[in-house]
Structure formats: structure tokens, C-alpha cells
Amino acid sequence: MMKKAVMQFTACCLAVGITLGSFGTVALADNNSVTLAGLSETNTVVSSSSTLAGLSETDAVASTGGAQSAAETADETADSETADETDSEAADSAAVTSETADTTADADTDTTAAETEAQTETEAVYDTSMSGQLAFAQCENYINVRAEASVDGEVVGKVYNNGSVTILGQIGDWYEVQSGNVTGYVNVAYFATGEEADEIAEAVAYNVATVNAEGLWVHSEASEDSSTIGMVYSSDQLEVVAYEGDWMKVVLEDGTYGYINAWYVNYDTYYSTAETLEEEQERLDAQWLAYLAEQEAEAAAAQAAEEAAAAEAAAAAEAAAAAATEAAETYTYTETYTDSSSTTDSSSSSLSEAQAAVDEAYQEYLEAQEAADAATQQADEQLVYDTYDEAVAAYQDYLDAVAVADELKYSTATDTSTSTTTTDTSAAETTYTEAASTETTYTEAAQTEAVQTEAPQTEAPQTEAAQTEAAETTSTEASTTTSTSSTGQAIANYAVQFVGNPYVYGGTSLTNGADCSGFTQSVFANFGISIPRTAAAQASSGTSVSLSDIQAGDLLFYSDGSGISHVALYIGGGQVVHASSSTTGIIISSYNYRTPVCARRYWS
């Protein structure tokens, strides 16, 4: 009876998933908690080692060992047939438990792999394969350098067209770069690398040789056997225009070329680099202050020149009037002199009006300049630029008025000279007539002889063929002069449109920065005219022009006392346009703001 009851109890336990053994218990429960059958409705198989209530951790057994415990219990409490059934059912239960655990493990593995793959796809890879390479900006104006590899990153600097950067690495479409004092990220689409960068580097490089010997001979040719043309000394820096084996071709201070031994110098190549926002602001502030100072100095010089010109014109007019008065007193008939006086008075009146226009334009310029100065003390940046433009326009109006007055002074002086000559001739002819009619001692024959003597002699008339040839020659000469002059004026007109753009040492960009010789070289290149790169070299080429015969489009050169140090482009009206300095940029100045030493013409 007892045996039967035990077998019934065991069968009942197996039916609900509980097997009692001598050492362990297996239960159907959820993932972490273990609940005995009959106390919970949850039936998820447990594959982990959990502790049943009332038992220690060593008492809990894994589900795969439950079958053996069940078999041992059955041997002790039932006959062999019941034990076999118990073994079979326990084994089936263990197999189900193992299969379920495998399925769960496979699902967990697939999920982990998918998450890893997705994470790998979203993470950007930092590529250093281009680290150390030089790249050059290719843009219309400048490219922002950002603190992060994103268009939303903070702007920390700017690199201008043809400016250089050194690549540190790459993240997606962004280079991490270093240039000057700027480190950050730029978009790869705006930078040239590889062979394209090499070509740009060769075009924009500024090469300098620094002498490291106490004294170094400069030779006329790339050979020790050639004659010497000078000597350079320790720490002297020379622009290198060619590197030929063991020799460097350099430009000396006087503009001549020579060769030095490359073993005794340090060779450096410079490129334009980026600037921080703070450096940009400092540069703009310095340029503005320098511009104001230069404009003030030029205005003072212009006023002094205008006062001197006015005094000279007044003295010339006074001298002309005195000469006319003296001539009139010499002759008895003064009608022609009176007419000349009337013309002079009319010209003087026009000159006075022109001078008044000059004074008015100058006063307007001073007021505009004062407004521009006041704007710099305010926080409105746009107001600064607006008042600056108004000051520039007012100054140009003043220069235009001066040009009109100068032209009128010249024409007045020419008209006065012509009128005086005409007056002298007419008066001379009339004097004899009146004297003859007053003094009866002259006979008719004497009058005739006197008239013939006084009459001007004329040259023999030319034939029609000679007249035609002369006309054609004159026409050809006038056409040639007009053509060449218009070319020079076209060059000047083209150059002035870049006023206000920055000065960059070693630069050749008309929009993003050039030095003095780079500016003139690029202007002439627009007209297909090739000129040397440096001011010294430009001064020793082309066609020499007298400073008294300069025309628009000619180059004027200035010296620092030891050689050619600056070049400017003459635009007519006593003015030049030039890349002045890093503080002023490209500006217009009076041609004699410094004393020019020579002039060259490349366009005729």
C-alpha cells in the first residue's frame, strides 16, 4: 500500500514537472526566480543555476542533472517498470530543457552580432594615411576651419584661396588640418592634394635663401670659374628664382641676378597659411588705422600741392598780365590787347570756379573722413564699412576736382601764350599802319617796302601727293599712339578694381592677397603680358621710361636706399595703385608719396 502511494506521488510530481531525489530538485520557473510547481502558473525553463527556497546554493542542481536524481529516487521507491518510465520522462524533460536553452543562446548571439554590426557602420573611422601631406585651398575667397568635423562646428579660423594646410587625418568628408596657429577641420571638397597640390605649390611658393656663411661670393654664372658680381653676408636673405644643382639663382638688392653656392645657405619655402579669427580681426583693425593715417597724410600732401599749384598759377597769371601790359604800352594801337585781356579774365573766372569746386570737394572729404573715424568708436560694424566707403568716394571726388582744375590751368596758360603771340603780331602790323598815317615822312614806296619786310615768309606749297603722304603718316602715327595709350589705360582701369583687397607677403591673388610685385605681375598677366616676379627684377626689364613721360599702365619703382624695394602701377592723374603693406592692403596713392627712382613700360 505504501509502495503504491509512493508511486502515485512520484507520477504526480513527474506530471507537473517536479522530481524528488536524494540530493537535488529541478523546478519549472521564470528566468531568475525559482517557483515550485503548484505555487506559480509560469512555466519557462530555467537554464541557469538558481537556489530553491530553503536550500543552499550547493543544493540546487542544473536541469541536465535532474534526470539522474529522478532515476535514483525511483529505484528506491518503486519497482523497475515504474523506474524505467520515470527515467524516460525525466530524459525527455531534460532534452526539452537543453533544446530551449540552445534556442535562447542562439537568439542572444544573433542580437549581439546585429548590434555590433550596426555600431560598426555608424562609427566614423579616423584615417591617418594622408598625415603630413600638404593641401591647398581652392575657393573663391576663403574656407572656414571648424572645431569639429561638421558644418555645425564652431569656426576657429579661415584659410584663403591657395592657402596651405598640413593634413593630420581624415574623418569621413573632413580633413583634420594644421595651418599657422589654426588647428581644426575643413571639408575635403575644397582642397587640392597630390599632383594638383604639387602644381599649385610650385606656382605660389616664395623661396628664400638665408646665408649661413660669414661671407659668400655672388657669381655671374653657375660656376666657380665665372666672375664675381658681389658678396652677401651671414643672415642675409635672398629671393631664389631658380635652383640649379649646387647653385641657386637669386635676386640682389639692386635688382640684378646672380648665383650663389647652395651648400652655404639654408633654403626655405613659404606658403600662405590660415589665420585665427583673432588674428584676422587684429589685421583688419591695423589695416583700417593705417588707412586712416595714410589718407590723412595724403590729404595734407594734396592740400599742400594744391596750394602750391594755386600759388604757381597765380604767379604765372600775374606774370602774363604784366607781360601783356608791357606789350600793350609799346604799341599805339591797343584794341587787340584789350580783347586778349578779356579772354584772360574769362579764363581766370573759370579757373576760380574750378578752384572753388576743389575746395568744396576737399571739405566734403574731410567731413566724410571725420564720420568714418567716429564710426570706429561704435559697435556697429556695418556703419564702419559704410562710412569708409563714403570717405573713399568723397576723396575720389576731390581728386577728380583737382584734375579738372589742373587741366584748366594748363589750357589757360596755353591760351595766354597764344593770345600774347597773336597780340604781338597784330600790334606790330597795326603799329606801322598807324605810324605811317601819322608821320608824313614815310612815302608810299617806303610803306610798301616796310609791309613787304614785315610780312611773314611762307614755305613753298606742297604738291597734292606730298600732302596726301603727310596726312597718311600723321594719321598712322596718331592711330599707333592712341592704340598703345589705350592699352596702358585699360591696364590701369583693370588694376583699380582690386583696391581694398588684402596684402599678403609672397601672394599673387588679386582678390585674396598679393604683395607689390605679385599684384603687378597678376594685373599684366590678365592682358597676356608676362613680367618677372619680383620688384627688383621688374625694374631691370621692360622699356625704360623717363619719369617726366610716364603714362597710365607704366610701373614706378621706389628704393629703400640700398636697392629696389617697392613697385606701383601708374594710373594717370598723378596717382598710382599698389599693394602697399599688410596693414593697408591694395590702395591708391599719389605717385610721389615716396620719390620714385625709375619707370618701366611693358605694354607698348
Side-chain angles (χ1 to χ4, degrees):
M1 192 69 178
M2 178 63 70
K3 181 178 180 180
K4 184 177 180 181
V6 170
M7 291 177 64
Q8 290 177 345
F9 177 76
T10 301
C12 182
C13 288
L14 289 174
V16 297
I18 301 177
T19 302
L20 297 178
S22 59
F23 295 102
T25 303
V26 175
L28 298 179
D30 60 16
N31 285 336
N32 297 313
S33 62
V34 176
T35 306
L36 295 177
L39 301 180
S40 172
E41 296 180 356
T42 304
N43 293 318
T44 303
V45 176
V46 177
S47 61
S48 60
S49 178
S50 302
T51 304
L52 298 178
L55 300 178
S56 66
E57 291 185 0
T58 56
D59 293 329
V61 296
S63 62
T64 54
Q68 183 178 0
S69 299
E72 292 175 353
T73 303
D75 288 341
E76 295 175 356
T77 59
D79 58 16
S80 60
E81 183 179 356
T82 303
D84 290 340
E85 292 178 359
T86 302
D87 289 343
S88 176
E89 292 178 0
D92 291 341
S93 176
V96 171
T97 302
S98 176
E99 182 179 354
T100 304
D102 291 341
T103 303
T104 304
D106 291 341
D108 290 342
T109 301
D110 292 341
T111 301
T112 303
E115 291 177 351
T116 302
E117 183 178 355
Q119 183 177 5
T120 301
E121 290 178 354
T122 57
E123 287 182 355
V125 178
Y126 188 81
D127 182 7
T128 59
S129 60
M130 298 182 67
S131 179
Q133 290 192 26
L134 203 63
F136 288 88
Q138 297 296 280
C139 58
E140 192 69 27
N141 192 1
Y142 64 83
I143 298 171
N144 288 323
V145 183
R146 299 183 180 274
E148 300 175 0
S150 167
V151 292
D152 298 325
E154 178 187 0
V155 176
V156 296
K158 296 178 180 179
V159 56
Y160 291 88
N161 186 45
N162 286 336
S164 65
V165 299
T166 300
I167 298 175
L168 303 178
Q170 182 175 355
I171 301 178
D173 294 334
W174 296 83
Y175 288 138
E176 183 180 16
V177 299
Q178 191 279 325
S179 180
N181 294 320
V182 180
T183 300
Y185 295 87
V186 295
N187 195 296
V188 301
Y190 300 103
F191 282 83
T193 59
E195 293 182 359
E196 184 180 359
D198 293 340
E199 294 177 0
I200 296 174
E202 185 175 352
V204 303
Y206 193 79
N207 302 312
V208 176
T210 304
V211 180
N212 56 27
E214 291 187 5
L216 182 62
W217 286 111
V218 182
H219 291 262
S220 59
E221 302 292 339
S223 170
E224 292 285 357
D225 298 329
S226 63
S227 61
T228 58
I229 60 176
M231 176 174 281
V232 290
Y233 301 94
S234 177
S235 300
D236 283 353
Q237 291 188 322
L238 307 170
E239 181 184 358
V240 179
V241 296
Y243 200 156
E244 304 173 6
D246 293 337
W247 294 88
M248 291 181 181
K249 187 177 183 180
V250 298
V251 182
L252 302 183
E253 289 184 348
D254 60 359
T256 59
Y257 292 99
Y259 292 83
I260 58 175
N261 195 312
W263 288 97
Y264 300 102
V265 298
N266 294 325
Y267 182 81
D268 297 297
T269 299
Y270 296 96
Y271 304 102
S272 176
T273 58
E275 61 181 1
T276 64
L277 299 184
E278 293 76 12
E279 290 171 339
E280 178 191 42
Q281 190 59 51
E282 290 177 2
R283 174 175 60 82
L284 294 176
D285 291 344
Q287 287 179 357
W288 175 249
L289 294 176
Y291 170 79
L292 295 179
E294 184 166 343
Q295 291 300 304
E296 184 177 353
E298 289 185 1
Q303 183 179 12
E306 180 250 321
E307 291 174 353
E312 182 179 352
E318 184 178 353
T325 301
E326 182 179 357
E329 291 175 351
T330 305
Y331 307 117
T332 57
Y333 185 62
T334 60
E335 180 180 354
T336 303
Y337 168 72
T338 303
D339 292 339
S340 174
S341 240
S342 176
T343 301
T344 302
D345 291 342
S346 176
S347 298
S348 298
S349 176
S350 298
L351 182 59
S352 299
E353 293 175 358
Q355 187 59 52
V358 170
D359 295 340
E360 181 180 356
Y362 182 68
Q363 185 60 39
E364 291 177 355
Y365 161 67
L366 292 180
E367 293 174 357
Q369 186 66 64
E370 183 178 356
D373 293 342
T376 60
Q377 307 300 320
Q378 302 182 30
D380 189 347
E381 182 178 354
Q382 187 59 47
L383 179 62
V384 173
Y385 286 108
D386 291 343
T387 54
Y388 162 75
D389 292 338
E390 292 173 1
V392 171
Y395 184 66
Q396 186 60 50
D397 292 341
Y398 163 67
L399 295 178
D400 293 342
V402 171
V404 171
D406 289 344
E407 183 177 355
L408 186 58
K409 291 173 187 175
Y410 174 77
S411 62
T412 300
T414 303
D415 292 342
T416 301
S417 175
T418 304
S419 298
T420 302
T421 302
T422 303
T423 300
D424 290 346
T425 303
S426 300
E429 293 176 351
T430 309
T431 298
Y432 168 70
T433 303
E434 183 146 330
S437 58
T438 303
E439 300 179 9
T440 56
T441 55
Y442 280 101
T443 63
E444 184 177 349
Q447 292 179 10
T448 302
E449 181 180 357
V451 170
Q452 290 176 346
T453 301
E454 293 291 331
Q457 297 182 358
T458 59
E459 297 180 358
Q462 293 178 326
T463 64
E464 182 177 353
Q467 292 175 353
T468 302
E469 180 179 357
E472 291 177 350
T473 301
T474 302
S475 175
T476 301
E477 291 176 351
S479 176
T480 301
T481 302
T482 301
S483 176
T484 56
S485 297
S486 62
T487 300
Q489 189 61 58
I491 293 173
N493 294 342
Y494 176 75
V496 297
Q497 67 179 307
F498 302 105
V499 169
N501 289 341
Y503 173 100
V504 174
Y505 179 72
T508 58
S509 172
L510 296 174
T511 55
N512 299 321
D515 57 20
C516 64
S517 56
F519 172 69
T520 54
Q521 184 187 51
S522 296
V523 167
F524 277 91
N526 183 70
F527 293 85
I529 302 173
S530 178
I531 66 175
R533 173 63 182 81
T534 65
Q538 291 173 11
S540 59
S541 302
T543 302
S544 178
V545 179
S546 171
L547 291 173
S548 60
D549 296 328
I550 56 175
Q551 298 182 36
D554 291 343
L555 296 182
L556 301 186
F557 298 90
Y558 303 84
S559 172
D560 59 3
S562 59
I564 300 299
S565 60
H566 191 64
V567 59
L569 177 66
Y570 187 65
I571 60 175
Q575 294 180 299
V576 292
V577 59
H578 58 136
S580 178
S581 68
S582 59
T583 56
T584 59
I586 299 174
I587 60 174
I588 293 176
S589 304
S590 172
Y591 86 99
N592 60 352
Y593 80 103
R594 289 166 56 190
T595 303
V597 296
C598 64
R600 288 290 188 275
R601 182 172 298 163
Y602 285 91
W603 46 268
S604 60

